[in-house]
């Protein structure tokens, strides 16, 4: 019985996910993200909502700001981003890239819209 519990705990540790609250700015409200509309075929987010409001994030617009929950399992970082193409990073099994307070997401299913705010 102890080996079953130990194996189950090991499995759960391998399946550990993190949830990140982040933001995305757009000129239209987005309820479901799709890679075909994302810059470079990926979807970009920031943990700093103020960057979107100030126009410092590279977001298309700040007319609508989506608050999202990102589900992260295996993020790449600057090291991979500096050396590899986006497709290579994804092919290595990374589900996202963390660049300071910015996130690049590959799988729209790992993005849940929590709120859509229309700014003035």
């Amino acid at each position: 019985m102890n080996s079953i519990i130990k194996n189950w705990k090991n499995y759960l540790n391998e399946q550990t996910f993190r949830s990140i609250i982040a933001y995305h700015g757009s000129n239209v409200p987005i309820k479901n993200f799709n890679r075909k509309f994302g810059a470079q075929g990926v979807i970009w987010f920031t943990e700093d909502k103020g960057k979107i409001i100030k126009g410092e994030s590279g977001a298309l617009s700040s007319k609508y700001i989506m608050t999202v929950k990102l589900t992260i399992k295996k993020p790449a970082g600057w090291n991979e981003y500096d050396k590899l193409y986006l497709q290579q990073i994804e092919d290595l099994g990374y589900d996202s890239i963390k660049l300071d307070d910015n996130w690049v997401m590959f799988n729209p299913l790992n993005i849940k819209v929590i709120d859509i705010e229309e700014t003035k």
Side-chain angles (χ1 to χ4, degrees):
M1 184 64 135
N2 284 339
S3 64
I4 294 172
I5 293 171
K6 183 178 179 180
N7 288 339
W8 183 248
K9 285 182 181 180
N10 287 339
Y11 172 78
L12 290 177
N13 286 338
E14 292 171 4
Q15 301 302 315
T16 301
F17 295 92
R18 293 186 337 180
S19 291
I20 305 293
I21 300 299
Y23 307 92
H24 182 89
S26 179
N27 60 343
V28 296
I30 302 171
K31 294 181 182 177
N32 296 299
F33 284 88
N34 187 318
R35 285 178 71 164
K36 70 181 176 181
F37 300 113
Q40 300 172 297
V42 294
I43 309 160
W44 291 77
F45 298 90
T46 181
E47 292 180 56
D48 185 348
K49 183 178 176 181
K51 280 185 172 180
I52 296 173
I53 294 167
K54 295 175 196 169
E56 299 171 352
S57 70
L60 175 65
S61 171
S62 62
K63 181 175 180 181
Y64 293 94
I65 299 177
M66 278 57 63
T67 302
V68 299
K69 181 171 83 169
L70 306 176
T71 302
I72 309 294
K73 180 173 182 190
K74 184 180 177 187
W78 277 110
N79 190 44
E80 293 82 8
Y81 186 72
D82 284 341
K83 294 178 183 173
L84 303 169
Y85 294 107
L86 292 172
Q87 188 61 56
Q88 290 173 309
I89 295 170
E90 185 176 14
D91 290 346
L92 288 171
Y94 293 100
D95 62 354
S96 57
I97 307 169
K98 178 157 178 41
L99 305 172
D100 301 324
D101 59 4
N102 297 310
W103 287 90
V104 176
M105 297 297 293
F106 295 115
N107 187 346
L109 296 176
N110 293 340
I111 305 163
K112 180 181 178 191
V113 177
I114 298 171
D115 186 42
I116 300 174
E117 173 187 352
E118 184 174 7
T119 60
K120 295 177 174 58

